Amino acid sequence: AHIAPRLECGTTDGVLDCQQLGGMPSVVLNPGLSPELTVQTNMNMNNRENSRHSFESLEIRANYNIVGQPIDVSSYYISSDKIPVVRCDVNQARANSSGCIFEKAPAVLRTINITIPEVDESALHIRDAQNSGLPGKFIPEVDSIFPDRSLSKPLTRLRDWTTRNNNRKHSLAICKAQDNSYSESCDPAGDPDDPEVSCQCDEYPFAATYQGGDALENPGVSVRRIEASDNKSAGARLGVFYTQQRILDGDEFYINVE
């Protein structure tokens, strides 16, 4: 027999939820493992309210037939509705972007790590801040991909520019209060004859979270003067993470640096 898996999407308010691209490719079933098959599906976001939508009626359906006979949507099939809710958005995580995620899957940022030289100062600051009790570290439940809520306190993304800017000003004021000689230059990290390098005030939780700086949910903020290049690289990685994982305003996420 050969089999053609696909996503049976259903409809919401009379609108078809998705459309499979490239027809119905099939694979011959052999003893043991059969070859992998990639199926591309376009989620329909036209006229969705607020440019975001959770698809809750998805079903994996696999039509099949004997080898040599055609397969279409009317062929015999097996199905499973055990598919997580998929949430898609347009321009919500970032302007001129779109994407989909499994809505309940925890988002964990791992690209700011103490083993990566470009961001090791940021990562060490985050590690120390989390060890002091600040939120953001992901600790899963036993034998689960989901966070242990008694041990893991998430961060939540903040998109409002004015509030983010105020968060940064608040953290910078703390930096200056802690060091009367604060300046945006640092001693060289290597040979003492090396020139000074540009520095910035790094804050954790991030300014772009509801827990950062002067935010209402601020659990406390940790600040540290680090190299500007490190701080900028960490910020860029956070931005990529927000976009790729479709972290919207108010969405929870975590960061593990080890």
Side-chain angles (χ1 to χ4, degrees), residues 114-127:
I114 61 174
T115 63
I116 303 174
E118 292 82 2
V119 290
D120 58 351
E121 290 187 36
S122 296
L124 287 169
H125 181 202
I126 293 168
R127 182 196 65 183

Side-chain angles (χ1 to χ4, degrees), residues 37-198:
L37 187 65
T38 300
V39 177
Q40 293 184 315
T41 303
N42 182 42
M43 307 306 294
N44 183 9
M45 289 296 293
N46 293 330
N47 301 317
R48 298 294 186 189
E49 185 178 0
N50 298 324
S51 298
R52 59 186 291 180
H53 185 72
S54 295
F55 297 89
E56 301 181 0
S57 59
L58 302 178
E59 179 181 288
I60 298 175
R61 186 170 293 187
N63 296 88
Y64 62 92
N65 208 336
I66 61 174
V67 175
Q69 297 296 318
I71 295 178
D72 58 32
V73 294
S74 64
S75 304
Y76 293 108
Y77 67 87
I78 54 177
S79 64
S80 172
D81 60 1
K82 298 184 183 301
I83 182 170
V85 174
V86 173
R87 188 193 72 190
C88 301
D89 77 272
V90 179
N91 300 327
Q92 297 294 298
R94 182 179 180 178
N96 302 315
S97 72
S98 61
C100 302
I101 58 164
F102 290 119
E103 189 168 44
K104 300 299 182 182
V108 185
L109 172 57
R110 303 183 188 275
T111 56
I112 302 175
N113 193 282
I114 61 174
T115 63
I116 303 174
E118 292 82 2
V119 290
D120 58 351
E121 290 187 36
S122 296
L124 287 169
H125 181 202
I126 293 168
R127 182 196 65 183
D128 293 345
Q130 289 179 343
N131 287 342
S132 76
L134 293 181
K137 186 174 183 179
F138 178 74
I139 303 174
E141 295 176 330
V142 177
D143 298 325
S144 172
I145 67 166
F146 295 103
D148 185 329
R149 290 289 183 169
S150 67
L151 300 173
S152 293
K153 305 302 180 186
L155 301 173
T156 48
R157 186 186 180 183
L158 168 68
R159 288 211 70 189
D160 180 74
W161 184 88
T162 299
T163 307
R164 287 186 283 127
N165 193 44
N166 288 338
N167 285 348
R168 294 187 180 97
K169 290 178 180 179
H170 178 81
S171 298
L172 180 58
I174 297 175
C175 268
K176 292 179 177 179
Q178 290 180 351
D179 184 358
N180 291 331
S181 62
Y182 176 85
S183 68
E184 293 189 355
S185 62
C186 285
D187 294 332
D191 191 286
D193 291 330
D194 290 345
E196 291 184 335
V197 295
S198 175

